[in-house]
Amino acid sequence: MDQGIAALLGATVGVLGTVAAAAVSGWSSRQQLRAQAGIDHAQWRRQARRDAYSAFLAPAHEAGNTLKQAARSLIGDVDVGEADRRLRAAHDHLTAVHAAWAALAVEGPEAVEQLAHGVKTALHSMQTTLLAWRDSAEGAFDRNVKFVERHAVEVTRVSERISAFTAAARAALDDTAPASNTAGG
């Protein structure tokens, strides 16, 4: 083999090796960028969900606590004025719950949204019972027993639903994995 051909062959192999290394490096860089983009998106999505869940949970707890305080105003020495103040405050919290639920419905997943809807419904039911109780507060004690019992059931229901929502929200956040669409193109 002639030295010129050997040099040309060596240069060709060197160029082909460089081109192949550049192609592999480029492909690897694109894959890394896609993987990082998937991780970044999953992290952003998890943060958006966390914010939506927290924005729902805080006023839901406040509404429940305020409604329980309103009920205390209707037991024993009835203080309808205090009950009305608490019910107005609870209404404000429930308005915040409804607004937060709307954002949560977008963030999902559907199972978490459905549990949040259950919390919202249970809180509304609790408020309705207390409004009826307040309206009958001047009646005989025997008439109010049914409201006391119904309220006790609703307090338990709200607590259970908030716990179920919290557990599902936590699971949804834990299940948020980096985007698995790293294959192809």
Side-chain angles (χ1 to χ4, degrees):
M1 194 180 305
D2 180 67
Q3 283 185 347
I5 293 177
L8 184 59
L9 208 59
T12 303
V13 168
V15 167
L16 289 177
T18 302
V19 169
V24 168
S25 176
W27 178 82
S28 177
S29 293
R30 280 194 309 277
Q31 294 297 47
Q32 286 176 339
L33 286 174
R34 282 190 187 126
Q36 186 60 46
I39 290 168
D40 291 347
H41 178 74
Q43 184 176 0
W44 168 80
R45 184 80 168 139
R46 185 175 195 275
Q47 184 62 43
R49 282 183 172 174
R50 181 182 316 145
D51 292 347
Y53 299 163
S54 296
F56 176 81
L57 200 53
H61 274 295
E62 289 297 322
N65 289 335
T66 305
L67 288 169
K68 286 186 249 180
Q69 292 169 352
R72 287 186 201 112
S73 300
L74 296 171
I75 295 174
D77 294 331
V78 175
D79 186 349
V80 175
E82 179 63 20
D84 282 339
R85 282 189 292 283
R86 298 292 183 178
L87 287 168
R88 279 192 300 277
H91 177 76
D92 293 342
H93 294 306
L94 288 170
T95 300
V97 166
H98 187 74
W101 170 77
L104 190 145
V106 171
E107 291 300 331
E110 186 176 346
V112 174
E113 181 275 328
Q114 290 298 316
L115 289 168
H117 186 267
V119 170
K120 184 173 68 91
T121 302
L123 286 167
H124 179 72
S125 177
M126 193 172 169
Q127 178 192 34
T128 301
T129 297
L130 288 171
L131 289 169
W133 184 0
R134 180 212 51 208
D135 292 344
S136 72
E138 296 175 7
F141 178 75
D142 292 358
R143 274 185 40 198
N144 293 333
V145 169
K146 67 180 179 181
F147 293 117
V148 173
E149 291 171 350
R150 188 181 318 161
H151 174 70
V153 168
E154 289 173 343
V155 166
T156 301
R157 182 178 301 132
V158 166
S159 177
E160 289 170 349
R161 289 185 179 181
I162 286 176
S163 293
F165 166 79
T166 303
R170 190 176 299 119
L173 291 173
D174 289 344
D175 287 346
T176 303
S180 60
N181 190 11
T182 57

